Amino acid sequence: MKKKQTSPNISKNFMDHNHDLCFESALKDFKQHFIEKELKLTPLRLKVFQLLLKDHRPLGAYQILDLLRKDGFSSTPPIAYRVLDFLIEHGFVHKIKKLNAFVACSHPGNSHSPTFMICRKCEKVAEINEKESGLKFNKETSSEFKIEEAIIELIGICKNCTKIEVI
Amino acid sequence: MKKKQTSPNISKNFMDHNHDLCFESALKDFKQHFIEKELKLTPLRLKVFQLLLKDHRPLGAYQILDLLRKDGFSSTPPIAYRVLDFLIEHGFVHKIKKLNAFVACSHPGNSHSPTFMICRKCEKVAEINEKESGLKFNKETSSEFKIEEAIIELIGICKNCTKIEVI
DNA sequence: TTAGTAATGTTATAATATAACATTGACTTA
DNA sequence: TAAGTCAATGTTATATTATAACATTACTAA
């Protein structure tokens, strides 16, 4: 019975880290999944995902459109929403309801009901999976109601901002 | 060590029940809290709360406006949003992010981070409190991130609709 | 009575999201 | 290769949700 899951830092996103590495690794995974699932990786899809990988801060649809425009892409609302729908459907992106905004998924490939931690100070978001959150519902709940999807968004202050914070 | 909490039916809202009783009891609580907190119970506030008590189904702001109009109230968007903001602030109403809609609170008076069960079939919503949900986050999560607010919305099928459902 | 204030009323507009239809381009297959 | 098909993108218009800013009312209190 070894503990295999190290998952050393569930909130790496909030802390200093080598983000270039983080970015490249996520992008590599992303591309790999497109190959495995035989999906078409178009310039637009790639671009939107790259935008969302920038700094662990969620982007609104209209922010994405502005960035697309700057890069010479078409930028009417359906452009963003369609690509986002596609990326969400295939598990590459999640929507944060609290913010009406979108983030790149940290655990792509497996369909899951992610839990988000949203720092109201630095506005970064970290995704933790079920195992990491330790989240469970009691027997009664699950016998009374068949859960198909769970939206869980924790709003608060991240470790890094706590260090800095006065009030 | 007695089990005190009976909480016999966490999802009463989904099942047949004496809703007149349910309605009146909630309304009585509501009025009582206004007295205790020395808040002003205006016709508009009362009306909106009554609308939200109707059948355990959330109402959107514009649905509320339509209903207000029918009852001779003014019905431009700020009317609804202001009253809803007030009722939310004082813990009488919650917003369901998944639906951009509003429900009357089932446990008014205590500030809390409610968990909602949303039936995608009958569209009713039930609120369960922390104790009932049995929901906990693990040590790691709470040491890494100071949770101030939790949005938890479970989407699925209620017991009543399961009985009925074919597929 | 008048000044202050909370609540409501009103107008306009912001922010988020989707419907519906057109065009493009890649791929198939006859 | 021409015609057909289909997924992706482009475009126009509009729906839905929410807020800003200022006006009026009606109660309170000096």
Side-chain angles (χ1 to χ4, degrees):
Chain A
M1 277 281 217
K2 308 181 250 190
K3 281 191 187 175
K4 265 256 186 102
Q5 304 293 118
T6 52
S7 181
N9 193 346
I10 66 173
S11 55
K12 162 185 76 64
N13 292 9
F14 297 123
M15 310 305 284
D16 284 342
H17 64 286
N18 186 333
H19 189 61
D20 287 350
L21 226 63
C22 179
F23 182 98
E24 289 305 333
S25 152
L27 200 57
K28 198 180 132 204
D29 273 14
F30 177 73
K31 288 177 180 173
Q32 188 55 38
H33 281 294
F34 266 77
I35 295 168
E36 280 169 15
K37 296 179 180 171
E38 298 185 325
L39 302 171
K40 203 188 295 189
L41 181 45
T42 64
L44 187 55
R45 288 169 182 173
L46 179 59
K47 186 74 211 175
V48 169
F49 191 72
Q50 286 173 325
L51 292 173
L52 292 175
L53 278 183
K54 195 150 124 226
D55 62 1
H56 304 296
R57 288 186 177 88
L59 292 174
Y62 284 75
Q63 287 179 283
I64 290 170
L65 287 168
D66 287 344
L67 295 167
L68 287 176
R69 190 172 305 117
K70 282 176 190 157
D71 281 329
F73 287 84
S74 179
S75 59
T76 55
I79 293 291
Y81 284 105
R82 272 191 305 227
V83 172
L84 289 167
D85 283 350
F86 174 90
L87 294 173
I88 288 168
E89 188 186 340
H90 291 92
F92 299 114
V93 164
H94 298 294
K95 178 170 182 180
I96 310 287
K97 305 277 184 198
K98 169 73 182 183
L99 307 171
N100 289 326
F102 303 85
V103 284
C105 173
S106 307
H107 311 79
N110 26 345
S111 84
H112 52 261
S113 260
T115 293
F116 294 104
M117 298 183 296
I118 305 167
C119 179
R120 67 165 167 77
K121 197 98 187 299
C122 65
E123 302 183 282
K124 289 183 182 174
V125 167
E127 176 186 347
I128 54 184
N129 63 29
E130 234 171 285
K131 215 169 280 175
E132 288 167 339
S133 76
L135 203 64
K136 288 241 181 49
F137 296 95
N138 74 14
K139 278 197 303 284
E140 212 176 340
T141 305
S142 33
S143 78
E144 297 269 323
F145 189 83
K146 199 169 87 197
I147 299 173
E148 295 173 340
E149 183 196 348
I151 295 170
I152 305 175
E153 299 178 5
L154 309 177
I155 297 93
I157 299 283
C158 74
K159 205 173 175 180
N160 196 46
C161 286
T162 304
K163 289 194 305 194
I164 298 163
E165 198 176 44
V166 181
I167 187 109
Chain B
M1 278 281 218
K2 309 181 251 188
K3 281 190 188 177
K4 266 251 184 110
Q5 303 294 119
T6 51
S7 183
N9 193 347
I10 66 173
S11 55
K12 161 184 77 62
N13 292 9
F14 297 123
M15 310 305 284
D16 284 342
H17 64 287
N18 186 334
H19 188 63
D20 287 350
L21 225 63
C22 181
F23 182 99
E24 289 306 332
S25 152
L27 200 58
K28 198 180 133 203
D29 273 13
F30 178 74
K31 289 176 179 172
Q32 188 54 38
H33 281 294
F34 266 78
I35 294 168
E36 280 168 16
K37 296 179 180 172
E38 299 184 327
L39 302 171
K40 202 187 297 189
L41 182 44
T42 64
L44 187 56
R45 289 169 181 172
L46 179 59
K47 186 75 210 173
V48 169
F49 191 73
Q50 286 173 326
L51 292 173
L52 292 175
L53 278 182
K54 195 150 124 227
D55 61 359
H56 304 296
R57 288 186 176 87
L59 291 174
Y62 284 76
Q63 285 179 285
I64 291 170
L65 287 168
D66 288 344
L67 295 167
L68 286 176
R69 190 170 306 116
K70 282 177 191 157
D71 282 328
F73 287 85
S74 179
S75 58
T76 55
I79 293 290
Y81 284 105
R82 272 192 305 227
V83 173
L84 289 167
D85 283 351
F86 175 90
L87 295 173
I88 288 168
E89 189 187 341
H90 291 92
F92 298 115
V93 164
H94 298 294
K95 178 170 181 179
I96 309 287
K97 305 276 183 197
K98 169 73 181 183
L99 306 172
N100 291 325
F102 304 85
V103 284
C105 173
S106 308
H107 310 80
N110 25 346
S111 82
H112 52 261
S113 262
T115 294
F116 294 103
M117 299 183 294
I118 305 166
C119 179
R120 66 164 167 76
K121 197 101 187 297
C122 64
E123 302 183 283
K124 289 183 181 173
V125 167
E127 177 185 347
I128 54 184
N129 63 28
E130 234 170 285
K131 214 168 281 176
E132 288 168 337
S133 76
L135 203 63
K136 287 241 180 52
F137 295 95
N138 72 15
K139 279 197 302 288
E140 211 176 343
T141 305
S142 34
S143 77
E144 298 268 324
F145 189 83
K146 199 169 88 197
I147 299 173
E148 295 174 340
E149 183 196 347
I151 296 170
I152 305 175
E153 299 178 5
L154 310 177
I155 298 93
I157 299 283
C158 74
K159 204 173 176 180
N160 197 44
C161 286
T162 302
K163 288 194 302 194
I164 299 162
E165 199 176 43
V166 182
I167 187 106

